[in-house]
Amino acid sequence: MSPIALDTDDTGQPIPADTPHAVSVSLPTWRANVGYEEGEQWVLSKMKNGYPRFYIHNSITAFAEDIVKKHGCIGEQAVLFPSAAIAARCVEFFLRQAPHLEQRRSIRVLHISSQHGVGNGKFSMSANAHVSAVIFPQDQAWIAKVFWQHTGDGVSSRRAEFCHRLFEEGCLFPNDAVMDQLKEAHRFCKGPRRYQRPKGSDEGHLVKVPAQQFNDQISAEDTVTVEKQDTTQFVEERFGRNLDPLYAENAKIAIRRRIAGSLTANTALDDAIATEDDTSDIRKVQGFSLVDVYLYPTGMSSIFNIHRTLLSARGNLKSICFGFPYIDTLKILEKWGPGCLFYGNGSSHDLDDLESRCQRGERFLALFCEFPGNPLLKTPDICRIRFIADTYDFAVVIDETVGNFMNVHVLPYADAVVSSLTKVFSGDSNVMGGSAVLNPKGVYYRSIIETLKQDYEDNYWPEDAIFMERNSRDFVSRIERINSNAEAICEVLKDSPRIKALHYPKYSPTRPNYEHCRNPKGGYGGLLSVTFHSAADAIIFFDTLETAKGPSLGTNFTLCSPYTLLAHYGELEWAAHFGVDANLVRASVGLEDAPELARIFQHALDSIKPTHEYS
């Protein structure tokens, strides 16, 4: 495939172009990225979409505004969730941040659902369309934004689009039964039971957060326009409102089988369901089966929900964040539960300190780490981590998004393995998803399973599952090419005097940790980062790159970003303390021809004028 190269006047356009539910957005120059972070109107006024946890999709914005118009008051906004239980957790979070709202009774939940099926006898999505709207004062929108971003539990744009149409047609109604049911079960969910799902709560609900404050100064006029139908129109044309539940459920089964490693063939859904398990590639842990794979609407949702599951199963203990993580993982551990011990360097010295703390009697809930980390691609010593965890009684949760299970096998060292399916598992950058895989040999397996039996909700919207299943059919074959392409780019970069440092598992001092878990046919993944001798060099390099440029990773096309600016703009000095340079450029490598990618990166390098300092 050819690179997706976007012109500088494509700022704010979806990536891929003309994709209504795209999960990336074009920020094609260094200046555009700074302008986005600074809230400059020349960037914000052009934004048509963004990464869904940071930018509320237009279809969600429009639906939430219509709910407030019909059921709210002037000066109120709403944020949409797929279930009553999630809405209750959002309310609890609101009241922790702004306790005065409880006295004023100025925050409430509206549950909306189809009371009577809309369809022709078959199951229809219409008959099971639910949304829970948390309605709150506009001046508290920042709280809704934090909850939405960190938890990843907001409604998907496809769910919002579908339910909004029903709402406009008068087919969705306030569900008094759900609201009455929650009055006792969720008295704002105070105390240690706050992580338990109310018995009988509905599975699907949703609501949204306002345009101006939620999308960082983007005007309502700019965000209210509903995106046009997905250009493939795949789901709508084939199913309309009458989606056979077996199709969506089978799509989820196929996804889970691929994650389990028991489905590796690139086949249509019907054939995939009929195909026997490929036991040669199944995750090699005794007793492991499909029941140990759970789906979530986003990768961050899988992390958030595994964390709260552990809190419920093991008690209110502090967690450990080991290695420099994706920012929202750290925020989850800090803001939910009693706090977090953060080891940003992820070094052997950090493990020495952790072991000393444990020897002195400190107790912990779980250690969370990435394998390898993002953006420095350092690999933690999970053998030693597992030993310490077993010795001192805490769980281990490993995020394998960057490494992915075709390259590395980390389940034996984890109690749970989480991943963002949005990334390389999907590849097409048009649908969100997440997963959690449990280790049946883990010490806490039984308590986690028992908690999930009471608490787990399948909030993965059927349309999203169908797109994810379709995208992931060639996942296995894509990984090999992406691995190869990434190494080809590294060959261009690693010995260049214009580069200060190259971050890639193969060339990292922590490579032995990676090799210990690398599969026999596994590679080193498709993510790499580079730093430069000056900010000017980084800017020239980034602006010259002839690739798509925007947030996210794992796309089928090469996607680059000045990662530290986007993820840590307000805390650059803090990030630098852990070796995350402000001028770091991250590249997520795609399926393009390797010689063309090598040319593109060589050209960007050549654009940097050599100086005596590194020539």
Side-chain angles (χ1 to χ4, degrees), residues 121-142:
K122 272 189 174 182
F123 166 94
S124 69
M125 287 192 295
S126 308
N128 284 264
H130 305 280
V131 32
S132 288
V134 176
I135 301 175
F136 55 89
Q138 284 183 346
D139 62 359
Q140 302 298 315
W142 68 271

PDB file of all heavy atoms in Angstrom, residues 121-142:
ATOM      1  N   GLY A 121     -40.083  -8.617  14.207  1.00  0.00           N
ATOM      2  CA  GLY A 121     -40.143  -9.957  14.751  1.00  0.00           C
ATOM      3  C   GLY A 121     -38.767 -10.492  15.095  1.00  0.00           C
ATOM      4  O   GLY A 121     -38.586 -11.197  16.070  1.00  0.00           O
ATOM      5  N   LYS A 122     -37.775 -10.158  14.284  1.00  0.00           N
ATOM      6  CA  LYS A 122     -36.404 -10.518  14.624  1.00  0.00           C
ATOM      7  C   LYS A 122     -35.946  -9.638  15.773  1.00  0.00           C
ATOM      8  O   LYS A 122     -36.503  -8.581  16.018  1.00  0.00           O
ATOM      9  CB  LYS A 122     -35.473 -10.254  13.432  1.00  0.00           C
ATOM     10  CG  LYS A 122     -35.337 -11.384  12.444  1.00  0.00           C
ATOM     11  CD  LYS A 122     -34.224 -11.009  11.478  1.00  0.00           C
ATOM     12  CE  LYS A 122     -33.911 -12.142  10.534  1.00  0.00           C
ATOM     13  NZ  LYS A 122     -32.808 -11.787   9.641  1.00  0.00           N
ATOM     14  N   PHE A 123     -34.898 -10.099  16.443  1.00  0.00           N
ATOM     15  CA  PHE A 123     -34.225  -9.172  17.366  1.00  0.00           C
ATOM     16  C   PHE A 123     -33.770  -7.962  16.564  1.00  0.00           C
ATOM     17  O   PHE A 123     -33.347  -8.072  15.426  1.00  0.00           O
ATOM     18  CB  PHE A 123     -33.009  -9.881  17.954  1.00  0.00           C
ATOM     19  CG  PHE A 123     -32.057  -8.942  18.654  1.00  0.00           C
ATOM     20  CD1 PHE A 123     -32.149  -8.728  20.002  1.00  0.00           C
ATOM     21  CD2 PHE A 123     -31.075  -8.279  17.925  1.00  0.00           C
ATOM     22  CE1 PHE A 123     -31.256  -7.884  20.630  1.00  0.00           C
ATOM     23  CE2 PHE A 123     -30.187  -7.436  18.557  1.00  0.00           C
ATOM     24  CZ  PHE A 123     -30.281  -7.251  19.907  1.00  0.00           C
ATOM     25  N   SER A 124     -33.878  -6.808  17.163  1.00  0.00           N
ATOM     26  CA  SER A 124     -33.315  -5.631  16.518  1.00  0.00           C
ATOM     27  C   SER A 124     -32.493  -4.863  17.532  1.00  0.00           C
ATOM     28  O   SER A 124     -32.757  -4.908  18.727  1.00  0.00           O
ATOM     29  CB  SER A 124     -34.421  -4.730  15.958  1.00  0.00           C
ATOM     30  OG  SER A 124     -35.149  -4.143  17.009  1.00  0.00           O
ATOM     31  N   MET A 125     -31.497  -4.147  17.044  1.00  0.00           N
ATOM     32  CA  MET A 125     -30.730  -3.290  17.937  1.00  0.00           C
ATOM     33  C   MET A 125     -31.656  -2.258  18.557  1.00  0.00           C
ATOM     34  O   MET A 125     -31.445  -1.830  19.683  1.00  0.00           O
ATOM     35  CB  MET A 125     -29.594  -2.616  17.166  1.00  0.00           C
ATOM     36  CG  MET A 125     -28.479  -3.556  16.808  1.00  0.00           C
ATOM     37  SD  MET A 125     -27.011  -2.690  16.205  1.00  0.00           S
ATOM     38  CE  MET A 125     -27.640  -1.957  14.692  1.00  0.00           C
ATOM     39  N   SER A 126     -32.682  -1.852  17.823  1.00  0.00           N
ATOM     40  CA  SER A 126     -33.624  -0.865  18.337  1.00  0.00           C
ATOM     41  C   SER A 126     -34.286  -1.342  19.617  1.00  0.00           C
ATOM     42  O   SER A 126     -34.497  -0.572  20.554  1.00  0.00           O
ATOM     43  CB  SER A 126     -34.698  -0.575  17.284  1.00  0.00           C
ATOM     44  OG  SER A 126     -34.124  -0.252  16.057  1.00  0.00           O
ATOM     45  N   ALA A 127     -34.620  -2.632  19.657  1.00  0.00           N
ATOM     46  CA  ALA A 127     -35.316  -3.171  20.819  1.00  0.00           C
ATOM     47  C   ALA A 127     -34.411  -3.239  22.041  1.00  0.00           C
ATOM     48  O   ALA A 127     -34.891  -3.392  23.159  1.00  0.00           O
ATOM     49  CB  ALA A 127     -35.862  -4.557  20.499  1.00  0.00           C
ATOM     50  N   ASN A 128     -33.112  -3.153  21.837  1.00  0.00           N
ATOM     51  CA  ASN A 128     -32.175  -3.245  22.941  1.00  0.00           C
ATOM     52  C   ASN A 128     -31.283  -2.007  23.033  1.00  0.00           C
ATOM     53  O   ASN A 128     -30.172  -2.069  23.550  1.00  0.00           O
ATOM     54  CB  ASN A 128     -31.313  -4.499  22.784  1.00  0.00           C
ATOM     55  CG  ASN A 128     -32.073  -5.754  23.159  1.00  0.00           C
ATOM     56  OD1 ASN A 128     -31.974  -6.236  24.269  1.00  0.00           O
ATOM     57  ND2 ASN A 128     -32.856  -6.263  22.222  1.00  0.00           N
ATOM     58  N   ALA A 129     -31.745  -0.890  22.499  1.00  0.00           N
ATOM     59  CA  ALA A 129     -30.977   0.350  22.533  1.00  0.00           C
ATOM     60  C   ALA A 129     -31.182   1.037  23.883  1.00  0.00           C
ATOM     61  O   ALA A 129     -32.308   1.345  24.253  1.00  0.00           O
ATOM     62  CB  ALA A 129     -31.417   1.268  21.396  1.00  0.00           C
ATOM     63  N   HIS A 130     -30.093   1.242  24.604  1.00  0.00           N
ATOM     64  CA  HIS A 130     -30.140   1.895  25.918  1.00  0.00           C
ATOM     65  C   HIS A 130     -29.063   2.972  25.987  1.00  0.00           C
ATOM     66  O   HIS A 130     -28.022   2.862  25.353  1.00  0.00           O
ATOM     67  CB  HIS A 130     -29.875   0.893  27.039  1.00  0.00           C
ATOM     68  CG  HIS A 130     -30.775  -0.288  27.042  1.00  0.00           C
ATOM     69  ND1 HIS A 130     -32.052  -0.276  27.536  1.00  0.00           N
ATOM     70  CD2 HIS A 130     -30.565  -1.546  26.590  1.00  0.00           C
ATOM     71  CE1 HIS A 130     -32.596  -1.463  27.401  1.00  0.00           C
ATOM     72  NE2 HIS A 130     -31.710  -2.257  26.818  1.00  0.00           N
ATOM     73  N   VAL A 131     -29.332   3.976  26.784  1.00  0.00           N
ATOM     74  CA  VAL A 131     -28.335   5.016  27.038  1.00  0.00           C
ATOM     75  C   VAL A 131     -28.636   5.663  28.382  1.00  0.00           C
ATOM     76  O   VAL A 131     -29.784   5.906  28.702  1.00  0.00           O
ATOM     77  CB  VAL A 131     -28.327   6.079  25.916  1.00  0.00           C
ATOM     78  CG1 VAL A 131     -29.649   6.270  25.327  1.00  0.00           C
ATOM     79  CG2 VAL A 131     -27.766   7.378  26.393  1.00  0.00           C
ATOM     80  N   SER A 132     -27.591   5.878  29.172  1.00  0.00           N
ATOM     81  CA  SER A 132     -27.731   6.577  30.451  1.00  0.00           C
ATOM     82  C   SER A 132     -27.002   7.914  30.353  1.00  0.00           C
ATOM     83  O   SER A 132     -25.797   7.945  30.105  1.00  0.00           O
ATOM     84  CB  SER A 132     -27.149   5.746  31.604  1.00  0.00           C
ATOM     85  OG  SER A 132     -27.976   4.647  31.881  1.00  0.00           O
ATOM     86  N   ALA A 133     -27.755   8.962  30.555  1.00  0.00           N
ATOM     87  CA  ALA A 133     -27.210  10.319  30.460  1.00  0.00           C
ATOM     88  C   ALA A 133     -26.994  10.888  31.854  1.00  0.00           C
ATOM     89  O   ALA A 133     -27.932  10.953  32.649  1.00  0.00           O
ATOM     90  CB  ALA A 133     -28.161  11.206  29.672  1.00  0.00           C
ATOM     91  N   VAL A 134     -25.778  11.280  32.139  1.00  0.00           N
ATOM     92  CA  VAL A 134     -25.492  12.015  33.376  1.00  0.00           C
ATOM     93  C   VAL A 134     -25.596  13.499  33.039  1.00  0.00           C
ATOM     94  O   VAL A 134     -24.844  14.015  32.216  1.00  0.00           O
ATOM     95  CB  VAL A 134     -24.095  11.680  33.924  1.00  0.00           C
ATOM     96  CG1 VAL A 134     -23.790  12.525  35.160  1.00  0.00           C
ATOM     97  CG2 VAL A 134     -24.005  10.195  34.258  1.00  0.00           C
ATOM     98  N   ILE A 135     -26.557  14.170  33.671  1.00  0.00           N
ATOM     99  CA  ILE A 135     -26.841  15.587  33.393  1.00  0.00           C
ATOM    100  C   ILE A 135     -26.291  16.416  34.556  1.00  0.00           C
ATOM    101  O   ILE A 135     -26.516  16.095  35.722  1.00  0.00           O
ATOM    102  CB  ILE A 135     -28.347  15.816  33.204  1.00  0.00           C
ATOM    103  CG1 ILE A 135     -28.852  14.947  32.030  1.00  0.00           C
ATOM    104  CG2 ILE A 135     -28.650  17.282  32.938  1.00  0.00           C
ATOM    105  CD1 ILE A 135     -30.358  14.993  31.835  1.00  0.00           C
ATOM    106  N   PHE A 136     -25.579  17.495  34.222  1.00  0.00           N
ATOM    107  CA  PHE A 136     -24.843  18.235  35.241  1.00  0.00           C
ATOM    108  C   PHE A 136     -24.720  19.695  34.818  1.00  0.00           C
ATOM    109  O   PHE A 136     -24.944  20.051  33.659  1.00  0.00           O
ATOM    110  CB  PHE A 136     -23.448  17.625  35.416  1.00  0.00           C
ATOM    111  CG  PHE A 136     -22.675  17.537  34.123  1.00  0.00           C
ATOM    112  CD1 PHE A 136     -21.881  18.590  33.692  1.00  0.00           C
ATOM    113  CD2 PHE A 136     -22.769  16.408  33.315  1.00  0.00           C
ATOM    114  CE1 PHE A 136     -21.188  18.526  32.498  1.00  0.00           C
ATOM    115  CE2 PHE A 136     -22.079  16.333  32.120  1.00  0.00           C
ATOM    116  CZ  PHE A 136     -21.289  17.388  31.712  1.00  0.00           C
ATOM    117  N   PRO A 137     -24.340  20.595  35.742  1.00  0.00           N
ATOM    118  CA  PRO A 137     -24.143  22.007  35.395  1.00  0.00           C
ATOM    119  C   PRO A 137     -22.972  22.184  34.430  1.00  0.00           C
ATOM    120  O   PRO A 137     -21.931  21.532  34.567  1.00  0.00           O
ATOM    121  CB  PRO A 137     -23.842  22.673  36.741  1.00  0.00           C
ATOM    122  CG  PRO A 137     -24.349  21.719  37.775  1.00  0.00           C
ATOM    123  CD  PRO A 137     -24.191  20.353  37.191  1.00  0.00           C
ATOM    124  N   GLN A 138     -23.123  23.074  33.484  1.00  0.00           N
ATOM    125  CA  GLN A 138     -22.093  23.282  32.467  1.00  0.00           C
ATOM    126  C   GLN A 138     -20.738  23.623  33.062  1.00  0.00           C
ATOM    127  O   GLN A 138     -19.702  23.229  32.522  1.00  0.00           O
ATOM    128  CB  GLN A 138     -22.522  24.400  31.507  1.00  0.00           C
ATOM    129  CG  GLN A 138     -23.576  23.983  30.510  1.00  0.00           C
ATOM    130  CD  GLN A 138     -23.916  25.106  29.549  1.00  0.00           C
ATOM    131  OE1 GLN A 138     -23.554  26.260  29.776  1.00  0.00           O
ATOM    132  NE2 GLN A 138     -24.619  24.773  28.478  1.00  0.00           N
ATOM    133  N   ASP A 139     -20.729  24.335  34.182  1.00  0.00           N
ATOM    134  CA  ASP A 139     -19.441  24.765  34.737  1.00  0.00           C
ATOM    135  C   ASP A 139     -18.666  23.616  35.380  1.00  0.00           C
ATOM    136  O   ASP A 139     -17.537  23.793  35.825  1.00  0.00           O
ATOM    137  CB  ASP A 139     -19.632  25.914  35.729  1.00  0.00           C
ATOM    138  CG  ASP A 139     -20.487  25.533  36.931  1.00  0.00           C
ATOM    139  OD1 ASP A 139     -20.952  24.376  36.998  1.00  0.00           O
ATOM    140  OD2 ASP A 139     -20.690  26.395  37.803  1.00  0.00           O
ATOM    141  N   GLN A 140     -19.273  22.429  35.423  1.00  0.00           N
ATOM    142  CA  GLN A 140     -18.583  21.253  35.948  1.00  0.00           C
ATOM    143  C   GLN A 140     -18.198  20.278  34.841  1.00  0.00           C
ATOM    144  O   GLN A 140     -17.883  19.114  35.103  1.00  0.00           O
ATOM    145  CB  GLN A 140     -19.474  20.539  36.980  1.00  0.00           C
ATOM    146  CG  GLN A 140     -19.900  21.406  38.147  1.00  0.00           C
ATOM    147  CD  GLN A 140     -18.709  21.892  38.960  1.00  0.00           C
ATOM    148  OE1 GLN A 140     -17.796  21.121  39.265  1.00  0.00           O
ATOM    149  NE2 GLN A 140     -18.713  23.161  39.326  1.00  0.00           N
ATOM    150  N   ALA A 141     -18.185  20.753  33.601  1.00  0.00           N
ATOM    151  CA  ALA A 141     -17.901  19.867  32.462  1.00  0.00           C
ATOM    152  C   ALA A 141     -16.521  19.231  32.551  1.00  0.00           C
ATOM    153  O   ALA A 141     -16.301  18.129  32.034  1.00  0.00           O
ATOM    154  CB  ALA A 141     -18.038  20.640  31.151  1.00  0.00           C
ATOM    155  N   TRP A 142     -15.585  19.904  33.199  1.00  0.00           N
ATOM    156  CA  TRP A 142     -14.236  19.356  33.304  1.00  0.00           C
ATOM    157  C   TRP A 142     -14.237  18.014  34.023  1.00  0.00           C
ATOM    158  O   TRP A 142     -13.429  17.121  33.702  1.00  0.00           O
ATOM    159  CB  TRP A 142     -13.311  20.341  34.027  1.00  0.00           C
ATOM    160  CG  TRP A 142     -13.621  20.544  35.476  1.00  0.00           C
ATOM    161  CD1 TRP A 142     -14.478  21.454  36.027  1.00  0.00           C
ATOM    162  CD2 TRP A 142     -13.071  19.802  36.582  1.00  0.00           C
ATOM    163  NE1 TRP A 142     -14.514  21.333  37.397  1.00  0.00           N
ATOM    164  CE2 TRP A 142     -13.658  20.321  37.764  1.00  0.00           C
ATOM    165  CE3 TRP A 142     -12.159  18.759  36.687  1.00  0.00           C
ATOM    166  CZ2 TRP A 142     -13.352  19.830  39.029  1.00  0.00           C
ATOM    167  CZ3 TRP A 142     -11.851  18.254  37.936  1.00  0.00           C
ATOM    168  CH2 TRP A 142     -12.443  18.796  39.095  1.00  0.00           C
TER     169      TRP A 142
END
